[in-house]
Amino acid sequence: MVDLYGGTKSRRDIAASAGALSQFAGVRLMTLGDGVERGIRMLEFHSGTGLRFTVLIDRAFDIADCDYRGMAIGWHSPAGFKHPGLAEYEGEGGLAWLRSFSGLMVTCGLDHILFMYDEPADHYVYGPKKTVSHSIHGRIGTIPGKLSGYGERWEGDDCFLWCEGIVSQGTVFGEHLELVRRIEIKMGSNDIKLTDRVVNRGFYRTPHMYCYHINAGHPVLAEGSRYLAPIKDVVWAAHAGENYRKQGVGYRSMPAPKMNFHEQVWQHEMAADTNGEVPVALVNDRLGIGFEVVTRKDQFPCMYEWQNLQAGQYAVGIEPSTNHVLGHGAARERGELIWLEHGEERRYNSTFRILPDTAAIAASEKRIAGLAKQPSEDFPEPSGNHLPIGGRS
């Protein structure tokens, strides 16, 4: 059954109320037509609750817009949702990726995440290729996808809105990795389900690193908004040391937009529930709105918190990751880098959830606090204890 407008409706009830399901919910395909976005294919979802989000087919099926009853959830940066043909991956010393960085979710990978790194290329068995030069956060987020299908699917009286597609990252004498992504939401709900498979289609042994850069913006992010997470340990902070308190912003409570703010990044060690799930949320108590991300500890053992509180670029990031913030080189040295042989794959299952009212916020906070009581101080001393990541070959 579908929960809609304060009641429960069957498929027949919904069909009797209008001539098309699109009056209430649906998925539609469109192409953007102006500015840096021109030519991007996009799917627009609306679930019937007031939740609307868009999926950029030509940007790795990442989620761009997201709003709930007129309130923005996702972040829009000055870069815009740039067409992949305009992307500059290797420019500006490896930082030109930032000129395509915008949206609720930007996928990082498939063979590299975090800052720039020159990786030894001997595993690709090609003499002239001594290294693989990686720019920040990898290539996948600006690669166009191939749309396998989309639409509405009924299972009895339950209706699901969905899309699926494939994004291929490949080169000669190098990696050939494939992302198979499915996005689904039940009509009448606020839970976006994301299912990813990363497969090595090539015949070289290939590294794999993966991260979601999930970016919440105003008004979910505002002065007084709270970061909620089952933090067992604050492991690392990019600004630790003499500058730790310099900007006056801790990990828990967010300020209004600030001038000349330098980004702050934290890594937290999270507790998981009995199902292996890790919930993290950003909530605005004044407006009674929040956004929660649920990932699996066995798939994403690491979690970063990104604070970009600069005026005009105001965002907070929830970043589940396969690896520590120490980077590609450290992952190799510690034996934690994932290597995929031909046909091997890794799976990732996540939920992005709108918390639409104070009751939902309270339930999320209770669930999170039941897993681990996060530090009560704003500036807990980072432990530096990057726990070993097991199960890697």
Side-chain angles (χ1 to χ4, degrees):
M1 302 292 281
V2 175
D3 295 323
L4 206 61
Y5 314 134
T8 302
K9 297 183 181 296
S10 68
R11 182 175 184 177
R12 187 182 188 283
D13 294 334
I14 292 170
S17 301
L21 181 65
S22 58
Q23 182 166 323
F24 308 111
V27 190
R28 62 177 176 173
L29 175 64
M30 59 189 73
T31 302
L32 299 174
D34 204 6
V36 297
E37 303 171 340
R38 184 179 179 185
I40 291 182
R41 294 172 299 157
M42 182 176 81
L43 291 165
E44 182 183 60
F45 286 69
H46 61 111
S47 73
T49 66
L51 172 60
R52 183 192 75 95
F53 63 94
T54 61
V55 175
L56 302 182
I57 300 167
D58 292 317
R59 291 280 304 272
F61 289 85
D62 278 340
I63 299 174
D65 310 279
C66 182
D67 51 75
Y68 180 75
R69 297 186 175 180
M71 291 185 286
I73 306 296
W75 174 59
H76 291 216
S77 87
F81 305 133
K82 184 181 287 187
H83 189 281
L86 301 175
E88 311 163 68
Y89 178 67
E90 295 174 343
E92 299 185 46
L95 291 173
W97 176 90
L98 297 170
R99 295 189 178 273
S100 297
F101 181 30
S102 189
L104 177 72
M105 173 188 172
V106 178
T107 304
C108 305
L110 297 170
D111 57 343
H112 173 77
I113 61 172
L114 298 162
F115 278 103
M116 298 74 76
Y117 180 71
D118 286 347
E119 169 196 354
D122 51 298
H123 50 290
Y124 293 132
V125 199
Y126 183 58
K129 188 172 189 172
K130 305 299 182 185
T131 60
V132 179
S133 294
H134 295 291
S135 296
I136 188 172
H137 279 323
R139 299 177 182 273
I140 193 64
T142 54
I143 297 178
K146 180 183 292 185
L147 181 61
S148 304
Y150 72 97
E152 300 90 30
R153 183 186 80 257
W154 284 94
E155 294 182 4
D157 285 320
D158 292 329
C159 182
F160 297 88
L161 318 175
W162 66 278
C163 72
E164 188 169 294
I166 299 170
V167 190
S168 182
Q169 178 185 325
T171 184
V172 177
F173 304 124
E175 81 280 3
H176 182 191
L177 297 171
E178 184 177 88
L179 167 62
V180 182
R181 172 164 289 172
R182 185 177 182 89
I183 298 173
E184 187 167 286
I185 185 168
K186 183 181 178 183
M187 181 180 174
S189 85
N190 292 317
D191 291 9
I192 304 168
K193 305 287 187 180
L194 184 74
T195 304
D196 283 353
R197 289 193 301 124
V198 177
V199 187
N200 184 1
R201 296 298 185 196
F203 288 82
Y204 295 116
R205 184 172 182 257
T206 301
H208 168 54
M209 303 180 79
Y210 207 45
C211 174
Y212 295 152
H213 215 303
I214 304 164
N215 312 296
H218 188 74
V220 174
L221 171 61
E223 185 173 11
S225 292
R226 296 184 297 137
Y227 178 85
L228 304 176
I231 299 172
K232 296 195 296 184
D233 181 29
V234 175
V235 177
W236 180 90
H239 54 299
E242 62 181 14
N243 293 321
Y244 196 35
R245 293 170 174 79
K246 181 178 180 180
Q247 298 189 110
V249 178
Y251 87 93
R252 292 190 309 157
S253 183
M254 305 305 152
K258 297 173 71 70
M259 294 295 293
N260 300 317
F261 186 85
H262 189 285
E263 71 162 3
Q264 296 184 166
V265 183
W266 316 67
Q267 182 177 338
H268 306 300
E269 179 62 30
M270 301 295 192
D273 67 14
T274 55
N275 295 318
E277 293 184 336
V278 177
V280 178
L282 183 72
V283 303
N284 183 325
D285 297 300
R286 184 180 68 82
L287 293 179
I289 185 75
F291 175 62
E292 182 184 71
V293 175
V294 181
T295 55
R296 292 192 55 83
K297 183 75 171 179
D298 58 343
Q299 297 171 348
F300 287 120
C302 303
M303 183 70 72
Y304 319 143
E305 175 188 354
W306 178 63
Q307 297 173 328
N308 180 15
L309 304 174
Q310 167 66 25
Q313 302 188 8
Y314 192 51
V316 162
I318 297 170
E319 298 183 65
S321 170
T322 56
N323 294 92
H324 292 300
V325 76
L326 301 172
H328 196 136
R332 281 173 165 266
E333 292 168 7
R334 291 165 57 99
E336 296 172 349
L337 188 64
I338 300 170
W339 290 90
L340 298 178
E341 301 287 356
H342 170 72
E344 289 187 334
E345 64 179 50
R346 287 291 187 275
R347 291 176 179 259
Y348 303 92
N349 307 92
S350 307
T351 300
F352 300 168
R353 175 177 294 130
I354 309 303
L355 305 174
D357 51 36
T358 55
I361 290 172
S364 175
E365 185 168 12
K366 182 178 180 180
R367 177 189 178 193
I368 289 169
L371 301 178
K373 185 175 175 58
Q374 67 188 71
S376 58
E377 63 269 34
D378 290 322
F379 298 94
E381 194 63 30
S383 70
N385 186 21
H386 295 89
L387 296 177
I389 297 173
R392 303 296 185 243
S393 59

